[in-house]
Amino acid sequence: MIGFLGTGRMGLPMVANLVRAGHEVVAHDLRPELEATVVACGARWAGSAAESAAAADVLITMLPGPPEVVEAMTGAGGALPALPAGATWIDMTSNAAASAEPIRVQALARGIDVLEAPVGGGVPAAEDGSLKLFVGGEAEVLERHRSVLEAVGDPQRIVHVGGPGAGYTAKLLVNLLWFGQAVATAEALLIGQRAGIDLGVLRSAVADSAAATDFVRRDLDALFAGDYLTSFGLDRCCEELANVTAQAREYGLPVELSELVTRIHQRALARFGPVDGELLAVALLEHEAGTELR
């Protein structure tokens, strides 16, 4: 039986895919109004995190960020004390290694195996079961639970990155690079636009050059349509950037560019508030330039 915590935009389709793969799923979310949609996809509803975990062989957490994982696992009515010895906790949240480590240590002390498998791909990939998984933890535990992971992710994109913490870090680095590409691309486009270059022509030129990226080839379609990708909160973007730059500082590494990208997103958060929009840092640059990239 699989316990599942977090049935939001990403979690709910993942629950549905687990059910379709033949798993019995007992799910919980802090929003009781989601019960009907959870039941409609074939899962059972649990009234608390502890109830979801109590009979689970595997507990999956798919939550907004590190604070929510700490609360769901170790807070009042949390899942960890209820999870049976011999079970496995798989955290699929875009978490921070430093935040998850104390929970991992407590779980191992109780005879509970732990994997991290933060996901990439967004809501469409969650719906069709083609998520990319950045797995950190013991290889043997991964292999034992591969069928569960393949119910929500593309089997060819389940990557064992390394030991504990490696999966979380890899996912944060992917996001760091994507956010940085978004800012750098927007700045280049704004310069080109001001210089009188047609944006479509400039996009095509860049896409067929050494500067081409998936952001240029794929994600600019949304930006040019005025879509700032509202599937993820700007406050969460800032949280992830702050986590990865803090990790770099702990290592004593120079990360001036990463810190600049973080500050631009924090300025966007101050301007727009904690609303949904992964590309709102670009909206900030447009606002400051007095134009839009359309």
Side-chain angles (χ1 to χ4, degrees):
M1 195 273 284
I2 297 176
F4 198 103
L5 304 182
T7 58
R9 285 177 293 204
M10 293 289 290
L12 184 64
M14 293 166 70
V15 167
N17 284 328
L18 287 165
V19 171
R20 278 193 286 270
H23 297 285
E24 179 185 359
V25 181
V26 179
H28 170 72
D29 194 282
L30 291 177
R31 295 161 291 184
E33 63 270 21
L34 297 179
E35 178 178 357
T37 56
V38 167
V39 172
C41 74
R44 289 194 286 123
W45 178 261
S48 67
E51 182 183 341
S52 178
D57 302 299
V58 175
L59 177 71
I60 295 174
T61 44
M62 184 64 201
L63 296 163
E68 289 79 8
V69 174
V70 171
E71 181 62 24
M73 294 299 292
T74 63
L80 185 57
L83 198 58
T88 300
W89 170 42
I90 303 177
D91 186 22
M92 306 188 85
T93 308
S94 292
N95 206 339
S99 179
E101 178 61 13
I103 310 174
R104 188 184 76 88
V105 170
Q106 293 177 56
L108 293 176
R110 294 193 53 242
I112 296 164
D113 288 324
V114 179
L115 280 179
E116 64 208 53
V119 306
V123 175
E127 291 173 343
D128 64 20
S130 64
L131 290 165
K132 182 179 179 73
L133 306 184
F134 302 87
V135 183
E138 298 296 328
E140 180 274 329
V141 180
L142 164 59
E143 292 308 317
R144 190 152 32 94
H145 296 88
R146 186 170 287 277
S147 64
V148 172
L149 299 178
E150 289 182 352
V152 298
D154 180 343
Q156 303 304 313
R157 304 180 77 210
I158 298 174
V159 181
H160 186 212
V161 185
Y168 292 135
T169 301
K171 174 61 194 306
L172 289 178
L173 292 175
V174 167
N175 287 0
L176 168 66
L177 287 167
W178 190 87
F179 292 134
Q181 289 169 13
V183 169
T185 302
E187 289 186 352
L189 292 174
L190 286 168
I191 294 169
Q193 184 185 57
R194 191 62 57 88
I197 303 175
D198 177 83
L199 287 177
V201 172
L202 181 56
R203 187 255 187 97
S204 296
V206 173
D208 189 31
S209 76
T213 64
D214 275 354
F215 183 86
V216 170
R217 289 187 291 260
R218 181 188 63 203
D219 297 314
L220 277 184
D221 287 338
L223 181 61
F224 286 170
D227 176 6
Y228 294 103
L229 301 181
T230 57
S231 61
F232 197 62
L234 178 57
D235 54 337
R236 297 299 179 180
C237 301
C238 291
E239 180 180 67
E240 291 186 356
L241 288 165
N243 284 333
V244 72
T245 52
Q247 186 174 351
R249 286 193 296 273
E250 289 176 7
Y251 296 153
L253 296 172
V255 285
E256 292 181 38
L257 180 57
S258 299
E259 289 179 335
L260 176 59
V261 171
T262 301
R263 288 196 297 273
I264 292 171
H265 281 78
Q266 289 169 340
R267 280 171 40 217
L269 180 62
R271 170 69 174 79
F272 300 111
V275 296
D276 288 343
E278 294 183 68
L279 287 177
L280 284 173
V282 176
L284 174 72
L285 297 179
E286 291 176 323
H287 173 75
E288 293 176 346
T291 188
E292 292 181 334
L293 296 170
R294 302 288 185 271

